[in-house]
Amino acid sequence: MGELQGRLGSLLHNRWLVFVAAMWVQAVAGIGYLFGSLSPVIKSSLGYNQRQIARLGVAKDLGDSIGFLAGSLCEILPLWAALLVGVLQNFVGYGWVWLIVTGRAPRLPLWAMCILIFVGTNGETYFNTAALVSCVQNFPKSRGPIVGILKGFAGLSGAILTQIFAMIHTPDHAALIFMVAVGPSMVVISLMFIVRPVGGHRQVRASDQSSFMFIYSICLVLAAYLMGVMLLEDLVDLSDTTIIVFTVVLLFLLIVPVVIPLLLTFHFDVVSPVQEFLLPEPSNGESSKSADQNEVILSEVEDEKPKDVDLLPASERQKRIAHLQARLFQAAADGAVRVKKKRGPHRGEDFTLMQALIKADFWLMFVSLLLGSGSGLTVIDNLGQMSESLGYDEAHIFVSMISIWNFLGRVGGGYLSEVIVRDHAYPRPVALACFQIVMAVGHLFFAMAWPGTMYIGTLLIGLGYGAHWAIVPAAASELFGLKNFGALYNFLTVANPAGSLIFSGLIASVIYDHEAEKQAHGIHSSLRRVGRLLEGGLLDVEEPLKCKGSICFFFSSLIMSGLCVIAVILSLILVRRTRIVYRNLYGRAHT
């Protein structure tokens, strides 16, 4: 009995259990992805027009992206408390919307509805931040795969929740709003005491690589399965029983990863993770002494060492730095040198958000993310009009496809970037530059609009856009530290709506409306001539402007392709500036 209790304690402190629980949290955290399904219900029930629904959409985007409070609370509160705040926001925001839509609560003005949508959607920033912060701290040497997989599940959550709602098969469409308010809240409450740092840096196992490969295989099977299910449901009228079976299989695939912590705890592990967790830390005197020594190394040595030292092999570089450090200590002891206090953290140490905001590396990363992910989100937001302008009747097929490619881009981007830093000790942003090249080519395919290019462009843009959200958070944690990762990550997410606002609101939509007006004037002049010939006149009917043909998004796609090339240049500049940091972080493994 005692041994079983010990094993259960080990399981609760196993970092793989935390990771799997974080995957489940992320699988219900993409509430914003469901707004396209919620908005028709709100529109019909409250009698809103499209402009009012668009304002609710803006509130949703702001709630999805503004996570400064979530990042700050995750630094000062236990993660379970931060998750609980997110649950309350999600439940109150969307729960109140459900009460209004179903007539159980009085109607509110539009501005109040916008606040409710903002509050409800903003709850997911707490889920995202807590999941990423806990797992990046538990897997400090596997940040790429961790971030990629977690962000991938967040991208799939819309499809997962939609499939679960399809199984319920209720004629009450407002029930989807109720499910959004209650479902994620119940899942997160059940897991909020599991998702936390557990000293995972002490739980490195030889089996970690095979465990990651198992998770990757589950991700690939899940992506292929969801793609097949979505295509079948679009093309074939399935029975209720078939939909239930599909959903049960989906839930089974989501549960399967829990076998990893179970096997590690009850079968493979010889040393209990709890025992490792309780290993003594260095004493306060030792830690402060070490900190003082590091301070001297990172300030005086950085100032005094020749620049060519960083280009030497790791073993020779360490000898030269140790020799220089010894000389500095001796000089300081003799009074010949006055050791300066370190003025601020160096790359690879823990930065606060304010310290990071004055660093060129941080802004290179932010602007590169803005150009790359902003152009990708513009395509995602306008995919319906793009497919319609090229004569495709079913836009939702491309929407379903790009969600799957987005998921695979996040998972694949995390894996590829980890190979680059782990096997070659090369900066992670080089993987970002590669995917931005892929996006530049994808935008060119959209601009050319040849037969079949919609499918190729959707594939390339989905992969590239998803990879941004696996690579950038991992790189930020490496360059600016883990201590304030929540605040840094939530600031970087602002690049997404900012890029979409610029590219979609000021470039793509303006060019689209301009071309649509040109086509409308040509059609109206032709109709007037026909009307005069028939002496029947014309009915003055206002219809929404629609553009047809490849010209609708030709120039905007070319512009976004050029912006992706600029993003590549910025990423390569960041690669050049940070190559020494990555050599110090990962180069020791190659000596």
Side-chain angles (χ1 to χ4, degrees), residues 111-193:
W111 63 266
M113 292 293 294
C114 289
I115 291 176
L116 289 178
I117 293 293
F118 172 87
V119 169
T121 310
N122 190 248
E124 72 177 73
T125 62
Y126 294 85
F127 306 157
N128 288 325
T129 305
L132 287 172
V133 167
S134 60
C135 290
V136 169
Q137 291 183 10
N138 287 332
F139 293 84
K141 297 298 184 182
S142 304
R143 305 179 198 192
I146 290 297
V147 175
I149 292 169
L150 290 179
K151 294 298 293 181
F153 272 89
L156 272 187
S157 60
I160 292 171
L161 292 173
T162 300
Q163 186 62 36
I164 293 173
F165 182 73
M167 180 184 69
I168 299 173
H169 193 67
T170 174
D172 181 15
H173 296 290
L176 180 59
I177 304 176
F178 179 81
M179 190 187 80
V180 168
V182 175
S185 300
M186 293 175 61
V187 172
V188 175
I189 286 175
S190 65
L191 300 171
M192 65 183 185
F193 293 110

Side-chain angles (χ1 to χ4, degrees), residues 73-238:
L73 289 180
C74 284
E75 292 174 9
I76 62 177
L77 292 178
L79 288 186
W80 66 264
L83 286 169
L84 187 60
V85 173
V87 166
L88 291 175
Q89 286 195 202
N90 175 70
F91 182 75
V92 170
Y94 281 104
W96 203 333
V97 170
W98 175 74
L99 292 174
I100 294 171
V101 167
T102 56
R104 291 177 170 86
R107 288 187 57 167
L108 296 177
L110 181 62
W111 63 266
M113 292 293 294
C114 289
I115 291 176
L116 289 178
I117 293 293
F118 172 87
V119 169
T121 310
N122 190 248
E124 72 177 73
T125 62
Y126 294 85
F127 306 157
N128 288 325
T129 305
L132 287 172
V133 167
S134 60
C135 290
V136 169
Q137 291 183 10
N138 287 332
F139 293 84
K141 297 298 184 182
S142 304
R143 305 179 198 192
I146 290 297
V147 175
I149 292 169
L150 290 179
K151 294 298 293 181
F153 272 89
L156 272 187
S157 60
I160 292 171
L161 292 173
T162 300
Q163 186 62 36
I164 293 173
F165 182 73
M167 180 184 69
I168 299 173
H169 193 67
T170 174
D172 181 15
H173 296 290
L176 180 59
I177 304 176
F178 179 81
M179 190 187 80
V180 168
V182 175
S185 300
M186 293 175 61
V187 172
V188 175
I189 286 175
S190 65
L191 300 171
M192 65 183 185
F193 293 110
I194 298 177
V195 178
R196 71 211 189 281
V198 291
H201 60 284
R202 299 168 177 170
Q203 298 183 25
V204 177
R205 297 287 186 276
S207 60
D208 283 350
Q209 187 63 29
S210 59
S211 298
F212 274 117
M213 294 309 297
F214 179 74
I215 295 291
Y216 277 126
S217 64
I218 292 296
C219 290
L220 293 176
V221 171
L222 185 62
Y225 179 77
L226 274 174
M227 173 72 81
V229 168
M230 286 189 293
L231 289 176
L232 274 176
E233 290 179 347
D234 284 337
L235 301 176
V236 181
D237 188 14
L238 300 176

Side-chain angles (χ1 to χ4, degrees), residues 24 34 36 42 95 173 176 267 346 409 426 462 500 506 529 577:
W24 293 339
L34 285 174
I42 299 173
H173 296 290
L176 180 59
H267 184 67
H346 293 266
Y426 211 66
S500 176
L506 301 180
R529 287 195 296 269
R577 290 172 58 90

Side-chain angles (χ1 to χ4, degrees), residues 277-421:
F277 182 76
L278 296 176
L279 286 175
E281 294 282 359
S283 64
N284 293 336
E286 291 175 349
S287 60
S288 62
K289 181 179 178 182
S290 175
D292 291 340
Q293 291 175 344
N294 287 337
E295 185 172 287
V296 175
I297 293 170
L298 291 172
S299 58
E300 296 297 327
V301 174
E302 286 290 332
D303 293 338
E304 298 294 335
K305 72 181 181 183
K307 291 187 177 180
D308 59 352
V309 168
D310 290 319
L311 302 178
L312 296 173
S315 57
E316 181 64 24
R317 181 174 69 248
Q318 291 169 3
K319 291 179 183 177
R320 295 280 292 273
I321 290 177
H323 178 67
L324 178 58
Q325 179 188 355
R327 286 173 52 197
L328 283 170
F329 276 131
Q330 184 61 44
D334 295 339
V337 173
R338 184 179 179 182
V339 178
K340 300 177 292 185
K341 289 293 184 180
K342 191 174 64 171
R343 289 171 292 180
H346 293 266
R347 296 187 189 102
E349 300 179 27
D350 289 323
F351 283 70
T352 65
L353 178 59
M354 296 308 297
Q355 289 171 331
L357 288 176
I358 62 174
K359 295 297 182 181
D361 294 340
F362 188 81
W363 287 106
L364 283 170
M365 184 183 298
F366 181 86
V367 176
S368 177
L369 177 64
L370 185 148
L371 297 176
S373 70
S375 66
L377 187 59
T378 299
V379 170
I380 294 172
D381 290 343
N382 292 278
L383 204 55
Q385 288 178 312
M386 294 176 80
S387 59
E388 183 183 48
S389 66
L390 295 178
Y392 291 95
D393 295 328
E394 300 294 336
H396 59 271
I397 294 178
F398 296 105
V399 174
S400 300
M401 287 176 60
I402 205 167
S403 67
I404 300 297
W405 302 136
N406 179 14
F407 169 72
L408 292 177
R410 297 183 185 205
V411 175
Y415 176 78
L416 176 63
S417 67
E418 193 69 16
V419 170
I420 289 173
V421 300

Side-chain angles (χ1 to χ4, degrees), residues 59-71 89 118 121-123 125-126 490-491 493-494 497:
K60 181 268 298 181
D61 290 336
L62 291 174
D64 195 16
S65 304
I66 299 178
F68 299 120
L69 183 59
Q89 286 195 202
F118 172 87
T121 310
N122 190 248
T125 62
Y126 294 85
N490 281 293
F491 185 89
T493 59
V494 176

